[in-house]
């Protein structure tokens, strides 16, 4: 099986690169992946697979049934996920497959994920008489934007009928050299919540603060106090980040404004602490504003939960990756405080999200995701499709 998969991955590698380049040149923003969905559907039909289209509007689900033994026992189901959306970034790379859409770019590698999963579809469709069980391919929209395409796909039943016993996802990694794969058991990525504060006071001439309620000073106290929620109330073993990137006090040297707006992000890896931390922050900010004679309107946009890689599943997949890639090419990942909507699957079903190395320093492919110069070493795509196929059939076989 391993040799068959490797042979097919090598055979299809050039096509997978072409698919990725087509997707890269025609990016679509989150929840607007209409042409992408049509393209994916056409590609699947050309392979001989009829997908279910229009799941969460622009998502697709496809099923590959293994037919090695004609058994009536309950079938194992493994889900494989790719995201399809691009970002509102203007591409700065000068490449033949450069984005043809002004201000939209596949800067997070979701073109590579989708192309790889189409490669998996082709490989496993050809090999379907050599394994048992069901592979469920999930092409989801809107990873980059709240509420996250994964949550909508789950709501539309992607984890039912048939219900996967595990979900596997991969993401390009511009910090890991091409040819290598990264895994981490347990906590891996953070929950993400957006914080929006409006601090109101009474503005006026800066020379007469005794007649005013200074929202700049109130907001400053709030910013400092909120960091103490992280340093004093957070369980010390639980990673958390609180950052504020926007603080607008739109007065001048001698004019105190009426209000200050603040925006920030709160990230952590513990759902109980996440709820408690937000509760404390709101209470503290409102209390400080009130005590100082002003008010604070605190709005939270609740984002993705934290991403947990189920330990036993991750250990099994890591061992299978060593089998496929060799031990030297499988690395351990650090915690990453970014968010990812694959986390929604991980809250419902045993899940594993691993990283596909795409860095090539010699060729200058080093830019981070979400930058205008992001690109991948496309030789990663052969691994992206081959390894995922291998992990899926091995997971169906070992369970
Ligand atoms: Zn991204
Ligand atoms: Zn991404």
């Amino acid at each position: 099986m391993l040799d068959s998969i490797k042979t097919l991955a090598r055979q299809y590698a050039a096509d997978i690169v072409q698919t990725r380049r087509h997707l890269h040149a025609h990016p679509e923003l989150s929840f607007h992946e209409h042409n992408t969905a049509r393209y994916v559907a056409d590609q699947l039909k050309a392979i001989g697979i009829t997908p279910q289209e229009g799941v969460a509007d622009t998502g697709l689900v496809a099923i590959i049934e293994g037919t090695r033994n004609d058994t009536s026992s309950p079938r194992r189901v493994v889900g494989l996920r790719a995201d399809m959306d691009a970002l509102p970034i203007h591409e700065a790379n000068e490449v033949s497959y450069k984005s043809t859409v002004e201000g939209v770019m596949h800067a997070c590698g979701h073109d590579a994920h989708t192309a790889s999963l189409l490669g998996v579809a082709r490989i496993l469709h050809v090999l379907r008489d050599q394994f048992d069980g069901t592979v469920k391919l999930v092409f989801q929209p809107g990873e980059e934007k709240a509420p996250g395409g994964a949550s909508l796909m789950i709501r539309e039943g992607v984890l039912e009928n048939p219900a996967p016993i595990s979900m596997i996802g991969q993401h390009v990694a511009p910090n890991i050299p091409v040819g290598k794969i990264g895994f981490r058991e347990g906590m891996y990525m953070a929950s993400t919540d957006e914080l929006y504060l409006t601090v109101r006071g009474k503005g006026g001439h800066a020379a007469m603060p005794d007649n005013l309620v200074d929202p700049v000073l109130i907001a400053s106290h709030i910013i400092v106090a909120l960091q103490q929620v992280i340093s004093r109330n957070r369980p010390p073993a639980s990673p958390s980040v609180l950052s504020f990137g926007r603080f607008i006090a739109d007065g001048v040297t001698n004019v105190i404004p009426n209000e200050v707006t603040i925006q920030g992000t709160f990230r952590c890896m513990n759902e109980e602490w996440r709820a408690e931390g937000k509760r404390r922050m709101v209470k503290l900010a409102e209390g400080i504003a009130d005590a100082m004679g002003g008010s604070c309107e605190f709005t939270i946009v609740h984002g993705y939960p934290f991403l947990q890689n189920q330990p036993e599943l991750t250990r099994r997949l890591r061992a299978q990756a060593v089998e496929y890639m060799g031990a030297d090419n499988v690395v351990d990942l650090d915690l990453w405080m970014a968010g990812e909507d694959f986390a929604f699957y991980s809250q419902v079903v045993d899940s594993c999200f691993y990283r596909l190395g795409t860095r090539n320093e010699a060729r200058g492919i080093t830019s981070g995701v979400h930058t205008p110069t992001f690109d991948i070493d496309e030789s990663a795509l052969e691994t992206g499709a081959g390894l995922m196929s291998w992990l899926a059939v091995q997971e169906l076989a070992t369970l």
Side-chain angles (χ1 to χ4, degrees):
M1 183 57 110
L2 188 131
D3 289 340
S4 308
I5 289 176
K6 281 192 170 176
T7 303
L8 288 174
R10 199 169 312 123
Q11 194 179 322
Y12 300 151
D15 290 346
I16 300 169
V17 168
Q18 286 315 309
T19 299
R20 182 259 167 170
R21 289 184 175 195
H22 174 88
L23 294 168
H24 192 88
H26 302 92
E28 293 175 296
L29 291 173
S30 307
F31 302 112
H32 295 276
E33 307 90 343
H34 297 284
N35 294 328
T36 305
R38 206 168 306 131
Y39 178 81
V40 168
D42 289 346
Q43 296 280 309
L44 289 169
K45 285 172 196 164
I47 296 166
I49 301 169
T50 305
Q52 181 189 353
E53 297 177 57
V55 184
D57 198 22
T58 48
L60 307 95
V61 176
I63 296 285
I64 302 171
E65 300 280 8
T67 58
R68 190 175 60 169
N69 292 318
D70 189 19
T71 157
S72 54
S73 59
R75 298 179 69 83
R76 305 281 185 188
V77 183
V78 168
L80 307 177
R81 174 272 206 169
D83 41 13
M84 303 188 291
D85 55 327
L87 284 159
I89 292 175
H90 191 75
E91 177 153 20
N93 294 314
E94 288 308 329
V95 287
S96 61
Y97 47 90
K98 182 177 179 172
S99 170
T100 57
V101 185
E102 184 88 12
V104 183
M105 176 190 176
H106 269 295
C108 202
H110 299 185
D111 50 346
H113 309 159
T114 300
S116 295
L117 194 55
L118 283 169
V120 172
R122 204 167 161 191
I123 292 168
L124 294 185
H125 183 71
V126 168
L127 297 177
R128 65 191 181 283
D129 61 356
Q130 292 180 42
F131 66 89
D132 284 318
T134 302
V135 179
K136 192 171 199 173
L137 309 172
V138 176
F139 295 89
Q140 71 150 77
E143 191 286 318
E144 299 283 3
K145 196 170 179 186
S151 69
L152 303 182
M153 297 286 281
I154 292 169
R155 201 183 307 160
E156 296 211 3
V158 75
L159 296 181
E160 299 151 34
N161 296 324
I165 39 124
S166 53
M167 284 294 286
I168 303 172
Q170 64 179 339
H171 201 294
V172 297
N175 57 329
I176 298 176
V178 67
K180 293 187 189 293
I181 289 286
F183 285 89
R184 184 182 181 89
E185 281 174 35
M187 290 187 297
Y188 175 41
M189 292 176 72
S191 60
T192 54
D193 294 304
E194 296 175 0
L195 313 178
Y196 298 86
L197 291 77
T198 303
V199 178
R200 297 201 173 86
K202 179 169 174 270
H205 200 304
M208 293 170 279
D210 52 319
N211 294 331
L212 312 176
V213 175
D214 183 355
V216 181
L217 190 62
I218 298 173
S220 304
H221 277 286
I222 288 174
I223 289 276
V224 172
L226 291 184
Q227 287 301 341
Q228 292 164 30
V229 173
I230 303 299
S231 68
R232 299 292 80 184
N233 302 122
R234 169 181 66 94
S238 188
S240 292
V241 171
L242 176 67
S243 293
F244 291 96
R246 189 175 173 89
F247 185 107
I248 304 295
D250 197 17
V252 293
T253 56
N254 57 2
V255 176
I256 289 172
N258 281 317
E259 64 176 42
V260 172
T261 56
I262 303 171
Q263 294 179 11
T265 180
F266 173 48
R267 291 152 188 258
C268 64
M269 294 186 169
N270 173 324
E271 291 298 309
E272 273 167 38
W273 155 240
R274 179 186 178 200
E276 168 71 4
K278 287 189 281 191
R279 194 187 62 73
R280 281 182 179 272
M281 280 188 237
V282 171
K283 197 171 174 207
L284 193 56
E286 288 176 351
I288 289 168
D290 184 57
M292 294 178 76
S295 66
C296 175
E297 189 183 310
F298 201 136
T299 306
I300 299 175
V301 176
H302 305 278
Y304 306 158
F306 80 94
L307 196 159
Q308 160 123 302
N309 285 325
Q310 207 275 339
E312 287 84 40
L313 171 67
T314 305
R315 232 169 284 149
R316 282 199 303 273
L317 296 184
R318 194 188 195 286
Q320 293 303 338
V322 166
E323 192 91 349
Y324 191 92
M325 315 272 301
D328 291 349
N329 293 320
V330 180
V331 301
D332 294 317
L333 299 168
D334 289 329
L335 289 178
W336 195 25
M337 295 308 284
E340 161 66 54
D341 83 345
F342 186 81
F344 283 111
Y345 303 114
S346 82
Q347 300 282 324
V348 181
V349 63
D350 289 356
S351 297
C352 178
F353 194 64
Y354 63 88
R355 306 295 300 277
L356 175 69
T358 53
R359 182 184 187 87
N360 187 329
E361 226 150 308
R363 293 182 48 210
I365 301 172
T366 57
S367 292
V369 291
H370 294 215
T371 68
T373 51
F374 172 76
D375 202 354
I376 63 165
D377 183 323
E378 290 172 316
S379 62
L381 295 168
E382 183 180 328
T383 308
L387 176 65
M388 200 179 225
S389 303
W390 171 246
L391 296 180
V393 295
Q394 289 305 102
E395 193 54 21
L396 287 174
T398 46
L399 288 165

